[in-house]
């Protein structure tokens, strides 16, 4: 996740040149997110007022009091904000949500090891570090009472990859990205969402790797462009509502995505309403019974500051920092890139690292992630807090699978209280309540 220069983003949207001719503001269709003062019910009067102000309503999200609208009128936003039923409004900009600081490299030449039934098991230091190898051996793989459902909000997924295919619910999977109606990527090679899904729920199938919760169900919700990792706030918000709503009712939402904003400039740059709407969506999901797990970010920023990493700091979900070894030693060291903050980080989990050239890329996290144009399925090593968050989502799925559906606050508390205190005693900025422990999380409460 990278820091976004909001003024540059907004300025780039003001004037667009085509064929040497400048397009006036009236000729540009802009997308807006409008926050109503109330939540929970449809507001036909407000929708009509937005239309009368020059807008074309594209969606109403009554559960969180948000209306999405398009308009070519340069005075539309000011007119909408003046409406009595409107709290605030902003242009719905697309933002890069996948960090350029993350690393990935294809696992070509990786040999089968035969340590267990999964050929690449010996490369999965991450699974042993959180003791998910022991939960699998004990049969606590997520099918005790229910089959836990995890929604992966990301840049799509290679749904037919043989190392995750069995656990993907294609019927419920959905895309909210305009121009990308399917959940498969539109480009070949590494796909971020597939890598994340594999960490959560790659089955034990004598192929590739084992996920943290090998029997959990994955619902892929595409909210980012699969070629660039960009996405509008409204796509992510709609994805959260869909995943936590009656159609899916996910036990867990994993969001290995995010962007860092300056708290002061975010308001001045006009994105305050967008961030507020995202808060509403995550709080709605939590009230609906879905735990939202987000990566803390990869800039090495202190988030106990004016910097704001979202969705890690949105609503009442969980924010996950990353650990990563330095040469396959000291597995619980804070990763070189991870964001941190005592007021932000709930727990930490394996994200991998790339600081030791002699062990590159084996200090990173291995997962199914790609497909070539010729149809060959690929595995990739990758490192980032994007890889840490799905370990937490996987442990949450194990808990739900063993004990049944529970309140997100209870699930969050159980994950935190069962974590291993790995750094200084008590909560700390880099690990929060500690590094997750799958075995302890599954002990009877």
């Amino acid at each position: 996740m990278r820091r976004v220069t909001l003024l540059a983003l907004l300025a780039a949207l003001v004037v667009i040149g085509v064929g040497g001719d400048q397009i006036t503001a009236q000729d540009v269709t802009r997308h807006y997110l409008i926050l109503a003062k109330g939540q929970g019910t449809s507001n036909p009067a407000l929708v009509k007022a937005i239309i009368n102000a020059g807008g074309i309503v594209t969606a109403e999200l009554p559960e969180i009091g948000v209306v999405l609208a398009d308009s070519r009128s340069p005075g539309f936003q000011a007119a909408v904000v003046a409406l009595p039923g409107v709290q605030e409004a902003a242009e719905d900009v697309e933002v890069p949500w996948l960090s350029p600081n993350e690393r990935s490299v294809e696992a070509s030449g990786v040999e089968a090891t035969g340590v267990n039934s999964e050929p690449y098991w010996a490369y999965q230091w991450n699974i042993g570090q959180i003791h998910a190898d022991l939960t699998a051996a004990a049969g606590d793989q997520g099918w005790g009472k229910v089959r836990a459902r995890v929604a992966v909000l990301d840049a799509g997924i290679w749904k037919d990859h043989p190392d995750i295919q069995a656990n993907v619910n294609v019927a419920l999977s959905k895309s909210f990205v305009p121009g990308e109606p399917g959940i498969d990527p539109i480009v070949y090679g590494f796909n971020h969402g597939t890598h994340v899904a594999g960490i959560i729920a790659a089955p034990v199938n004598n192929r590739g790797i084992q996920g943290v919760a090998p029997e959990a169900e994955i619902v892929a919700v595409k909210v980012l462009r699969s070629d660039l990792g960009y996405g509008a706030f409204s796509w992510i918000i709609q994805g959260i509502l869909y995943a936590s709503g009656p159609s899916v009712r996910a036990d867990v939402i994993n969001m290995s995505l995010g962007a860092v904003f300056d708290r002061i400039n975010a308001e001045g740059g006009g994105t305050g309403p967008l961030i507020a709407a995202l808060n509403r969506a995550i709080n709605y999901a939590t009230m609906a019974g879905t735990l939202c797990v987000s990566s803390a970010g990869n800039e090495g920023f202190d988030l106990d500051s004016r910097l704001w990493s979202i969705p890690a700091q949105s609503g009442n979900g969980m924010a996950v920092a990353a650990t990563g070894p330095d040469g396959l030693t000291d597995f619980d060291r804070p990763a070189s890139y991870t964001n941190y903050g005592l007021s932000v980080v709930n727990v930490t989990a394996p994200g991998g690292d790339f600081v030791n050239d002699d062990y590159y890329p084996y200090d990173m996290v291995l997962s199914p992630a790609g497909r070539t144009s010729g149809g060959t399925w690929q595995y990739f090593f990758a490192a980032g807090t994007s890889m840490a968050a799905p370990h937490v989502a996987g442990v949450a799925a194990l808990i739900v699978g063993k004990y049944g559906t529970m309140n997100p606050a209870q699930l969050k508390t159980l994950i935190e209280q069962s974590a291993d205190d790995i750094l200084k005693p008590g909560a700390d900025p880099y690990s929060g309540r500690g590094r997750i422990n799958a075995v302890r999380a599954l002990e009877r409460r």
Side-chain angles (χ1 to χ4, degrees), residues 153 176 246 255 266 286 355:
L153 271 62
F176 289 91
M255 289 182 284
T286 305
V355 295

Side-chain angles (χ1 to χ4, degrees), residues 5-316:
T5 306
L6 294 169
L7 295 180
L9 276 174
L10 295 172
L13 295 172
V14 173
V15 179
I16 305 173
V18 178
D21 296 324
Q22 181 171 305
I23 298 177
T24 65
Q26 290 90 340
D27 295 323
V28 177
T29 298
R30 302 180 189 279
H31 311 292
Y32 295 90
L33 190 151
I34 303 157
L35 271 74
K37 290 181 178 178
Q39 302 179 52
T41 59
S42 180
N43 192 335
L46 177 58
V47 170
K48 183 177 180 180
I50 292 171
I51 294 172
N52 291 338
I56 299 172
V57 174
T58 57
E60 185 185 10
L61 310 176
E63 55 267 68
I64 60 169
V66 167
V67 178
L68 306 178
D70 294 346
S71 181
R72 287 187 170 188
S73 170
F76 175 73
Q77 183 172 337
V80 164
V81 171
L83 295 173
V86 172
Q87 178 175 311
E88 50 188 348
E91 189 171 344
D92 185 24
V93 294
E94 287 191 32
V95 172
W97 295 93
L98 299 184
S99 172
N101 293 338
E102 288 184 355
R103 302 275 186 94
S104 64
V105 58
E106 185 181 358
S108 58
V110 173
E111 297 180 359
T113 62
V115 174
N116 75 354
S117 64
E118 301 303 273
Y120 298 155
W121 172 253
Y123 300 98
Q124 291 194 267
W125 61 269
N126 52 305
I127 295 296
Q129 193 64 13
I130 66 169
H131 308 298
D133 54 335
L134 301 179
T135 60
D140 294 325
Q141 295 175 303
W143 63 82
K145 284 193 174 182
V146 299
R147 189 181 190 194
R149 177 174 288 168
V150 182
V152 175
L153 271 62
D154 215 294
I157 192 172
W158 287 113
K159 65 180 184 298
D160 295 324
H161 196 297
D163 211 7
I164 59 169
Q165 182 182 34
N167 287 341
V168 178
N169 187 325
V170 177
L172 290 181
S173 296
K174 186 174 182 178
S175 174
F176 289 91
V177 178
E180 294 191 35
I183 59 171
D184 281 312
I186 62 171
V187 292
Y188 291 106
F190 177 81
N191 174 257
H192 191 269
T194 309
H195 197 279
V196 167
I199 295 171
I200 297 170
V204 176
N205 59 357
N206 302 313
R207 178 171 189 140
I209 69 157
Q210 171 203 313
V212 175
E215 288 290 330
E217 182 181 76
I218 295 294
V219 175
V221 183
K222 186 189 284 188
V223 295
L224 306 179
R225 297 192 186 280
S226 58
D227 54 350
L228 299 174
Y230 278 62
F233 277 77
S234 63
W235 306 348
I236 296 174
I237 289 167
Q238 290 178 91
I240 293 171
L241 298 184
Y242 172 71
S244 60
S247 296
V248 178
R249 297 193 185 279
D251 298 293
V252 186
I253 289 175
N254 187 92
M255 289 182 284
S256 289
L257 53 89
V260 177
F261 296 85
D262 185 300
R263 291 176 187 267
I264 297 175
N265 291 338
E267 295 294 334
T271 59
L274 304 178
I275 295 172
L278 188 57
N279 285 337
R280 288 188 182 186
I282 291 180
N283 288 336
Y284 168 84
T286 305
M287 291 181 64
T290 302
L291 175 66
C292 295
V293 177
S294 302
S295 51
N298 308 315
E299 297 81 9
F301 287 159
D302 180 359
L303 299 179
D304 288 326
S305 66
R306 59 187 280 179
L307 298 178
W308 199 348
S309 180
I310 61 170
Q313 289 174 265
S314 299
N316 45 18

